[in-house]
Structures are given as structure tokens and as C-alpha cells.
Amino acid sequence: MADFRHVSVLPAEVIAYLAPRPGGIYVDGTLGGAGHASLILNASAPDGRLIGFDQDAEALAAAGERLAPYGTRVTLVGRNFARMADTLAEMGIEEIDGFLLDVGVSSHQLDTAKRGFSFQHDAPLDMRMNLAAETTAADLVNTLAEEELAKVIREYGEERWAKRIAAFIARRREEAPIETTLQLVDVIKGAIPKGAWEERLHPATRTFQALRIAVNDELGSLEKGLADGVKLLKKGGRGVVISFHSLEDRIAKTTFRSLAQGCRCPRELPRCVCGNVPKVKVLTGKPVVATDTEIATNPRSRSARLRAVEKI
């Protein structure tokens, strides 16, 4: 898997906020090319342990090769990080010192045409991160009711032309199934008036994002992964999440703020009766973003947003 390409974003910031230390147990929920995992293992040497998750078999194989020198300090798991709690329970691990979720699609997945994530290459309309999963983007495009398809594109892609795009898709698929990425791109370009095309954003960007999120249940996985990750943290343990669009960042922000909130009783009550206490301390008032230097060398880091908490 030497050709697996993925440049990890915000590497120094991840280590600064995760603060790995020797003897700690850390979860990397999104191994990818194992760039962050290598940094965590180096920072937690000589005996820190890492449990790495990835549902993409290609990513897991590449990570296994890169992390082989760390030997028994590494455990690889071919599952979605949403199954973190169950998996660690099976391993007899009750608490961890930190977790990292670097969510979204990897550079390798985007650049590998056959995976169908990119609107730049002609390929089967797939978009599955886990190739063992049943539902592909083509399945959604060709089987969802027009109204449901419009809802997916609008809510997950934040696409203002969602209703019109769904209508054009419904019309085209009556003639023949939409089976490739460029077939779908052609439909989207026909649906969005050229005068409304954005200068720096391909017209298919938001629709492809929406379908990818739906195919992989990315937002549901993030919500569960964050909740379970925080529960597993020991006192002083830290959780770090990197997101790449507003929907993911909103989930991270609201989840962390909610967990950091104490009493939720109405102000008019003389004393607290809810008993709720803060579970974490938010370490990032605003999301941490890439420096100009990093963006110059890795343009995909431009949209990265890092948030972090500490268990209290």
C-alpha cells in the first residue's frame, strides 16, 4: 500500500491539544494514512498504546504497514469509530487517555477514481468508505423519492438548488439509471443555472458531499463517536475532533458545549434540582485552523477546524 496518499492536517496542533504521554491509551478513530497515529505513538513513547479504527480496508492495510515498527503498541480495528465503546469493552479497556477523530473523506479516497468520491474523475457512483456496505451513492440517486433526495441534498449539502437538482435527477433516471460520477455531474450542471455557478466552487461539490454523508452516515457516526469517546475518557483525558464542513463542526461545537454545561435548571429556581454537572472543559473557544504555511503546502487543510475538550 505504498501508494496510499493522505496528508494529515494540523499535525502540531493535534499533538498540542491531545497531549499524549508515555503509558497512555489513545484512540485514533480515523487512521487514514496513519500520519496522526505515528505522531501520537512517538509522543507517547516508549509504552503508550494506540487503538486505531478505520472502516476503509485500503486505509487499514496502509496504516498497518506504516505502524508495523511500533509492534504491540498498536491495535488496528476494521470498524467505524462509532463502534468505539463496544470494541474497547470487548478488549477489556474501560477508559482511555485521549481520542482523535479526523472526520470526512481522505485525500486517498478523493484521488482514487474508482471509489467514486470525486466529481473530477469518471467512475462508478460509489462513495462507500466501507466497501462491504450495501448502499452506494448510485443506489440513493436512483431509488430515493424525489422529495427525499432533495432533502438529503439540502440538509447534508446545504445546497440552495437541492429541489431543482433532485427534479433533474428524477427526470434523467426515468430514461436510464445514473451510474457514474460524470453522469451525475452532467445532471447537476444542467440543474443549476450557469449564472449561479460559484467562481471557486464546482457546481457538483455540495451534492457530492451530501450523498457521501448519507451513504456513510457520517453525521450519526460523529455524534455517537463523540459521546462515547468522552464517556471513555479518564479524568484529565482529552478529546480532539477535526472537521471539514459546517455540519460536522456544528455537531462538535454543540456536543462539547453541552457536555461542558453545568446546572440546567430555570433561573427562577432558588437552587439546583437537576443535578447536572460539567463533564468536560472546552479547550478551544474558537476552532483552531491551519496556518498560511500549512495551507500553502496542503490546500485541503484550508477548511479544517479543530476543537478539543478535557475530561473533568
Side-chain angles (χ1 to χ4, degrees), residues 109-127 172 177-187 202 208:
Q109 289 166 336
L110 283 172
D111 294 339
T112 304
K114 66 180 181 179
R115 301 295 297 271
F117 285 99
S118 175
F119 43 75
Q120 305 284 4
H121 312 286
D122 196 19
L125 195 55
D126 195 319
M127 301 194 192
R172 176 71 69 87
I178 300 170
E179 298 177 335
T180 71
T181 53
L182 293 191
Q183 286 175 350
L184 180 58
V185 168
D186 183 60
V187 176
H202 190 285
F208 270 62

Side-chain angles (χ1 to χ4, degrees), residues 53-298:
F53 289 75
D54 208 298
Q55 61 185 327
D56 187 325
E58 292 182 358
L60 204 67
E65 289 185 8
R66 183 168 184 176
L67 300 178
Y70 297 96
T72 57
R73 293 177 60 200
V74 178
T75 302
L76 302 183
V77 182
R79 294 177 175 177
N80 187 299
F81 62 76
R83 300 179 63 186
M84 183 194 314
D86 292 341
T87 302
L88 266 61
E90 293 169 7
M91 298 169 65
I93 297 175
E94 297 181 353
E95 57 183 11
I96 60 178
D97 294 272
F99 69 85
L100 167 67
L101 303 180
D102 177 8
V103 294
V105 65
S106 72
S107 301
H108 177 77
Q109 289 166 336
L110 283 172
D111 294 339
T112 304
K114 66 180 181 179
R115 301 295 297 271
F117 285 99
S118 175
F119 43 75
Q120 305 284 4
H121 312 286
D122 196 19
L125 195 55
D126 195 319
M127 301 194 192
R128 291 172 298 166
M129 293 180 178
N130 178 1
L131 291 175
E134 295 183 0
T135 303
T136 68
D139 293 329
L140 298 185
V141 165
N142 290 296
T143 64
L144 285 182
E146 181 180 330
E147 296 77 12
E148 184 64 22
L149 186 57
K151 182 180 179 182
V152 166
I153 297 171
R154 180 177 61 254
E155 294 187 358
Y156 293 163
E158 300 180 297
E159 173 59 77
R160 60 180 292 224
W161 297 98
K163 186 174 181 180
R164 185 174 166 91
I165 291 170
F168 273 57
I169 288 173
R171 189 183 311 159
R172 176 71 69 87
R173 71 191 186 190
E174 287 180 359
E175 303 170 3
I178 300 170
E179 298 177 335
T180 71
T181 53
L182 293 191
Q183 286 175 350
L184 180 58
V185 168
D186 183 60
V187 176
I188 296 168
K189 285 183 174 180
I192 302 177
K194 282 195 174 181
W197 290 13
E198 299 179 39
E199 183 178 348
R200 298 182 62 182
L201 193 71
H202 190 285
T205 299
R206 294 191 174 96
T207 298
F208 270 62
Q209 171 186 297
L211 291 170
R212 191 199 79 223
I213 289 173
V215 165
N216 299 287
D217 187 26
E218 292 180 34
L219 301 186
S221 295
L222 178 57
E223 289 175 346
K224 189 174 190 308
L226 287 175
D228 288 350
V230 170
K231 287 180 183 178
L232 285 162
L233 286 177
K234 62 176 61 173
K235 183 178 179 181
R238 293 187 171 189
V240 175
V241 59
I242 301 173
S243 59
F244 290 85
H245 59 73
S246 60
L247 296 176
E248 296 169 339
D249 185 55
R250 193 176 304 139
I251 288 173
K253 178 176 68 174
T254 57
T255 298
F256 286 167
R257 284 185 177 178
S258 176
L259 292 169
Q261 186 177 347
C263 174
R264 301 181 184 183
C265 295
R267 291 184 178 181
E268 57 269 21
L269 290 183
R271 61 184 179 84
C272 174
V273 295
C274 73
N276 191 65
V277 295
K279 298 174 180 62
V280 300
K281 175 175 66 175
V282 175
L283 302 177
T284 49
K286 293 182 179 180
V288 177
V289 299
T291 64
D292 291 341
T293 300
E294 180 175 0
I295 292 171
T297 57
N298 181 15

